[in-house]
Amino acid sequence: MKDRSGDAVRRLRARGRDVLDRIGPKFSEQRVIAEATQYWSARADRAWEGNSHWRDGIPDQWEQVGRDHFALFGKLARVLDREPTIGTVVEWGSGGGANAVAFAPHADRFIAVDVVQASLDECESRTRAVCETPFLPVLIDVAAPEEAIERIGPGSCDLFLCLYVIELLPSQEYARRILDIAAELLGPSGVMFVQIKYRDNADRAPHKRNYARNLASQTIFPIDAFWQVAVAHGFEPEVVSLVPQNDLDHNYAYVLLTPSKQDRG
């Protein structure tokens, strides 16, 4: 017979930790960045490959992730007054290449940015297996993402992808830094395709601490708040699409952004 009382105690403890991580004292930005650096570099967690979207980590969903994202991008891009150029693509947080294998075959150049060299190697291997598109891996430090701007080149990007990444970032402030980087890298006619986790009426407060335990909901936004943040950082939101639930998680919002007309001028 199962020890139901033991299961109940474990659930209660887990719920208590979750509540404390949401309402307890907030860790400093520097501490959360350090925790994120430790998590992604250590590869000690059994779920690490799944969180990094390696094929072995999500074998049943891996190919579908990229196909779904490429199809959704094409659908959302129809709202633009021009067909977007898929010339130089930058993917911020490439992981194990689930998106790269879908987008790179249509690009002139694919630039993968990640904080883990092993993920860049995996992404490159998977991408080269499906196409001959020139591939540039860019390894960055979690604490200094802006270093990527000089290495890639300001204004050199046609499409900036940031998918299944924002919720893993240390904070909303850090997400603002990524928007600034995207604005620097994109040319005047460029497009950013970004996904966030959104808060709805049933959601509780976001987690404030213990990155490794809460990484999949570390940074979430109300949809209208992210829209306003994007505007404040030099973008025009063109369209948003909601995916309340899929095989990986829930509360996904996909937003297509273009550089603001004022910045283009």
Side-chain angles (χ1 to χ4, degrees):
M1 182 180 295
K2 289 185 177 180
D3 182 3
R4 294 184 179 179
S5 62
D7 289 342
V9 169
R10 283 189 287 273
R11 287 195 297 270
L12 185 60
R13 286 175 176 170
R15 191 174 304 154
R17 288 192 297 266
D18 182 70
V19 170
L20 182 60
D21 288 347
R22 293 177 189 273
I23 68 174
K26 184 177 181 179
F27 286 173
S28 69
E29 180 88 350
Q30 293 75 18
R31 178 167 177 176
V32 178
I33 287 174
E35 288 186 348
T37 301
Q38 172 64 24
Y39 177 83
W40 294 111
S41 61
R43 297 183 63 179
D45 190 315
R46 289 183 302 172
W48 188 94
E49 288 191 359
N51 290 329
S52 299
H53 288 179
W54 284 35
R55 186 168 195 159
D56 290 344
I58 50 170
D60 297 329
Q61 296 90 20
W62 190 82
E63 292 183 351
Q64 195 64 39
V65 166
R67 285 199 297 262
D68 286 352
H69 284 158
F70 187 77
L72 181 58
F73 170 72
K75 180 180 180 180
L76 298 185
R78 294 174 194 157
V79 307
L80 302 176
D81 57 7
R82 54 181 171 75
E83 185 174 351
T85 300
I86 305 181
T88 295
V89 178
V90 171
E91 182 178 14
W92 195 272
S94 61
N99 293 307
V101 298
F103 283 86
H106 304 276
D108 297 328
R109 183 171 65 140
F110 193 91
I111 302 173
V113 181
D114 208 282
V115 299
V116 181
Q117 184 62 52
S119 284
L120 289 172
D121 295 342
E122 175 74 3
C123 182
E124 182 170 9
S125 175
R126 296 294 183 183
T127 303
R128 293 196 184 282
V130 299
C131 68
E132 297 181 353
T133 300
F135 184 99
L136 174 65
V138 176
L139 180 67
I140 60 167
D141 186 334
V142 177
E146 291 81 5
E147 292 177 355
I149 297 173
E150 185 173 350
R151 295 175 63 186
I152 296 171
S156 64
C157 171
D158 300 298
L159 174 60
F160 189 101
L161 303 175
C162 189
L163 304 168
Y164 293 165
V165 172
I166 297 293
E167 65 259 36
L168 307 176
L169 298 180
S171 67
Q172 288 191 1
E173 182 56 39
Y174 194 101
R176 291 171 178 267
R177 294 169 67 182
I178 304 306
L179 286 170
D180 284 338
I181 292 168
E184 283 283 330
L185 292 177
L186 282 168
S189 60
V191 176
M192 182 178 186
F193 183 38
V194 59
Q195 166 269 329
I196 64 168
K197 263 192 175 176
Y198 65 88
R199 294 185 64 186
D200 59 25
N201 291 333
D203 273 342
R204 292 164 289 178
H207 294 104
K208 301 177 180 179
R209 46 196 286 152
N210 294 316
Y211 179 88
R213 192 157 64 211
N214 305 303
L215 62 90
S217 57
Q218 183 68 34
T219 296
I220 57 179
F221 286 89
I223 296 169
D224 59 332
F226 183 78
W227 196 279
Q228 293 166 357
V229 166
V231 170
H233 288 263
F235 286 98
E236 289 186 12
E238 302 286 353
V239 63
V240 61
S241 179
L242 304 186
V243 179
Q245 184 82 39
N246 67 14
D247 289 339
L248 293 178
D249 211 332
H250 58 87
N251 285 33
Y252 288 143
Y254 293 84
V255 189
L256 204 66
L257 307 171
T258 56
S260 68
K261 291 183 174 63
Q262 180 177 359
D263 290 347
R264 291 180 225 173

